Amino acid sequence: MSLALVHTRALDGMDAPPVVVEVHLANGLPAFNLVGLPDTEVREARERVRAALQTGNFEFPQRRITVNLAPADLPKEGGRFDLPIAVGILAASGQLNAATLASHEFAGELSLSGELRPIRGALAMALQTRAAGRTLILPTASAQEAARVRDVSVRPADSLLAVCAHLNGQTLLPDAPPPSDSAPLPAPPDLADVKGQLEARRALEVAAAGSHSLLMYGPPGTGKSMLAQRLAGILPPLDEAAALEAAAVQSLAGHFDPASWGRRTFRAPHHSASAPAIVGGGAIPGPGEISMAHHGVLFLDELPEFDRRVLEALREPLESGHVEVARARRRARFPARFQLVAAMNPCPCGYLGDARGRCRCTPDQVARYRGKLSGPLLDRIDLTLEVGALNAAELERAEPGEDSATVLARVLAARQRQQARQGGNNAALDAAGVVRHCRPDDRGRQVLARAVESLGLSARSHDRILRVARTIADLAGAEGVAAPHVAEAIQYRRGLGASAR
């Protein structure tokens, strides 16, 4: 047989489109031609495959070898095509039983000795392979994450020799063992470590209960970062579908960690990060920090220090829950349903309003500093809170606050009410959902109308106040949204948030 067809998959954003590796052997001068829009890593597979076959005591055909990666208009990248190319050459030259190829999919990078190295995106491949009904053969290091997908046959292999023995029916590869989550995960930072700051703790609980975005501002050392790091500990664990979505993004970036399965991710990029690093991008679009924080927490410390383009790029994903990255020849869509928590100082030096007069910033400097945050961005942040400094006496008198487990119980109860009522979190309610589920009583409507008029709030801010009020009511176990719930929600639109129009 001079022609062999081997099934594999490429990566295109969060999708894993099918690719057929067509290997043809023809008479003529020895040559190895690789076509089908391969990038540099894929073209280099010729040398890796040649060495792997020779060190495995296989015969490398001294013929004209043409390898086509179909479809031809889909860009191919990475070392994942090494294994299917090698299998195709062996099948086309008669060294491998080609009858079993149609029921398998292959992916793996080959070392020169024929060992298999891990690949990115194994989880996304397994999700698509399940729909195709084929058996997926992967490197052992990648099979563990692919086995997280139910109802798909995953066979781990250590080397090309083991794959060939399986296909020839000599020594069958075992099924990947089911993932084990028996090892205890390290406990996240506990909210009981935070002394005082009762208002900030309350805002953090409201944010967790409704999946709302939060901006904290105040002088250095007041506990803003400490509070943000404890948000993930009061968020409910992910269900299986959400855990698969989050893990698939991590797998695309090559950062999948089995030990963190089901736990909310916490991403805290430095303020020097570029727009592609935050949003996603590259010649071949890849996920950025906002997608890596999918179903988790994205913490932006020193918010005004981020590049203006980075901050403005957050506006769309905060509303839609996804981001589209467009390049000249590629377009990819990544999920970005993250919970934004940001922190900043009130002025460049951080001590505006300090009782000891330590601030030396001029009004123009303060205005320029705060002006880095546009009104449309602030309008999309649900809760804005000032975190004031505590003196030594206040810290000494502060009693230990509730721990994360106690707060988590209330958050879970509030989220269960939301799930039973509308099938999702309050922060994700659309305009129709706000009207249906967040309508306040008569007194609450009057309070909200006065606040909109006096603070000059936008229609978007109006709806966000109602969403937050609905969350506050859920935490209180109330059926309807009353005036006290609306009043508390309005307090979270004051301060810096009041500048959004």
Side-chain angles (χ1 to χ4, degrees):
M1 181 180 183
S2 60
L3 177 65
L5 304 180
V6 182
H7 297 281
T8 185
R9 293 188 180 272
L11 289 179
D12 185 15
M14 289 295 295
D15 193 18
V19 172
V20 178
V21 179
E22 304 171 338
V23 181
H24 181 259
L25 304 183
N27 295 326
L29 294 175
F32 194 153
N33 297 314
L34 187 58
V35 297
L37 211 58
D39 72 351
T40 302
E41 292 177 76
V42 181
R43 288 195 296 268
E44 291 174 346
R46 293 177 295 189
E47 306 307 322
R48 292 193 295 269
V49 169
R50 187 194 309 271
L53 293 180
Q54 292 173 345
T55 56
N57 293 323
F58 295 104
E59 177 188 354
F60 188 81
Q62 296 301 311
R63 302 171 65 183
R64 186 177 185 85
I65 304 173
T66 302
V67 177
N68 178 41
L69 307 178
D73 61 344
L74 177 68
K76 322 297 189 306
E77 54 90 16
R80 66 184 55 253
F81 300 100
D82 292 4
L83 178 59
I85 290 173
V87 168
I89 291 175
L90 293 174
S93 60
Q95 302 177 70
L96 193 63
N97 180 15
T100 59
L101 295 182
S103 61
H104 290 79
E105 292 188 9
F106 305 84
E109 179 183 334
L110 284 171
S111 69
L112 301 186
S113 64
E115 301 296 317
L116 288 176
R117 291 179 172 144
I119 59 169
R120 294 185 299 107
L123 197 57
M125 289 189 64
L127 289 169
Q128 299 293 329
T129 302
R130 177 177 61 183
R134 299 191 183 97
T135 297
L136 181 59
I137 295 182
L138 291 172
T140 300
S142 300
Q144 184 179 11
E145 62 181 88
R148 293 281 180 179
V149 181
R150 295 180 183 272
D151 303 324
V152 62
S153 176
V154 179
R155 303 291 180 97
D158 294 321
S159 65
L160 177 61
L161 286 172
V163 174
C164 294
H166 171 81
L167 296 175
N168 286 329
Q170 298 168 347
T171 304
L172 296 182
L173 294 171
D175 285 319
S180 174
D181 299 320
S182 57
L185 296 175
D190 199 296
L191 197 56
D193 300 334
V194 180
K195 292 186 177 181
Q197 302 296 4
L198 298 181
E199 292 183 4
R201 291 170 60 97
R202 170 64 175 175
L204 202 68
E205 180 178 342
V206 172
S211 193
H212 300 290
S213 52
L214 170 66
L215 169 62
M216 297 177 285
Y217 68 96
T222 56
K224 302 185 294 296
S225 300
M226 192 176 186
L227 285 160
Q229 292 164 2
R230 280 146 182 80
L231 175 59
I234 59 174
L235 293 175
L238 297 173
D239 58 28
E240 184 175 1
L244 275 175
E245 288 182 9
V249 180
Q250 304 289 329
S251 176
L252 282 178
H255 298 311
F256 175 75
D257 181 11
S260 62
W261 172 262
R263 174 172 286 187
R264 307 272 179 172
T265 58
F266 181 84
R267 307 289 298 186
H270 192 262
H271 59 74
S272 62
S274 64
I278 299 294
V279 179
I284 299 174
E289 289 290 338
I290 63 174
S291 296
M292 298 289 283
H294 185 52
H295 291 310
V297 178
L298 178 69
F299 177 47
L300 301 183
D301 199 7
E302 305 294 343
L303 187 65
E305 300 299 333
F306 282 82
D307 187 89
R308 180 67 177 260
R309 292 173 299 175
V310 172
L311 297 179
E312 296 306 308
L314 296 175
R315 288 159 53 178
E316 179 187 348
L318 278 173
E319 291 282 342
S320 64
H322 66 267
V323 61
E324 291 195 8
V325 180
R327 293 296 180 262
R329 299 180 60 183
R330 298 287 295 274
R331 190 180 188 92
R333 177 176 172 139
F334 298 102
R337 184 67 67 183
F338 60 94
Q339 189 164 353
L340 175 66
V341 180
M344 61 177 288
N345 296 324
C347 66
C349 76
Y351 294 104
L352 181 67
D354 183 78
R356 289 171 288 183
R358 286 189 287 177
C359 179
R360 294 294 183 268
C361 300
T362 65
D364 286 343
Q365 289 175 322
V366 175
R368 283 195 301 270
Y369 179 75
R370 296 189 178 187
K372 295 179 181 179
L373 306 181
S374 68
L377 174 63
L378 290 172
D379 216 23
R380 287 169 168 82
I381 297 178
D382 296 328
L383 297 92
T384 303
L385 179 74
E386 181 177 7
V387 182
L390 300 179
N391 56 42
E394 290 172 327
L395 286 173
E396 187 68 25
R397 291 194 304 267
E399 297 181 359
E402 294 178 318
D403 59 13
S404 294
T406 303
V407 178
L408 176 59
R410 292 197 296 268
V411 169
L412 285 171
R415 290 216 177 193
Q416 288 169 0
R417 293 186 184 97
Q418 297 165 38
Q419 193 67 32
R421 183 176 58 245
Q422 71 245 6
N425 298 327
N426 290 331
L429 285 173
D430 56 14
V434 171
V435 173
R436 186 179 304 113
H437 303 295
C438 304
R439 183 184 298 272
D441 59 16
D442 292 339
R443 178 61 178 160
R445 283 196 292 272
Q446 295 173 7
V447 171
L448 180 57
R450 287 199 299 268
V452 171
E453 179 66 25
S454 61
L455 297 177
L457 300 177
S458 66
R460 180 187 290 113
S461 294
H462 174 277
D463 284 357
R464 288 186 177 272
I465 288 175
L466 289 178
R467 294 189 185 103
V468 174
R470 177 69 263 183
T471 299
I472 295 170
D474 289 335
L475 282 170
E479 290 296 327
V481 179
H485 309 139
V486 175
E488 182 179 353
I490 291 171
Q491 294 303 311
Y492 298 129
R493 301 297 301 185
R494 301 178 68 87
L496 288 174
S499 64
R501 297 290 186 262

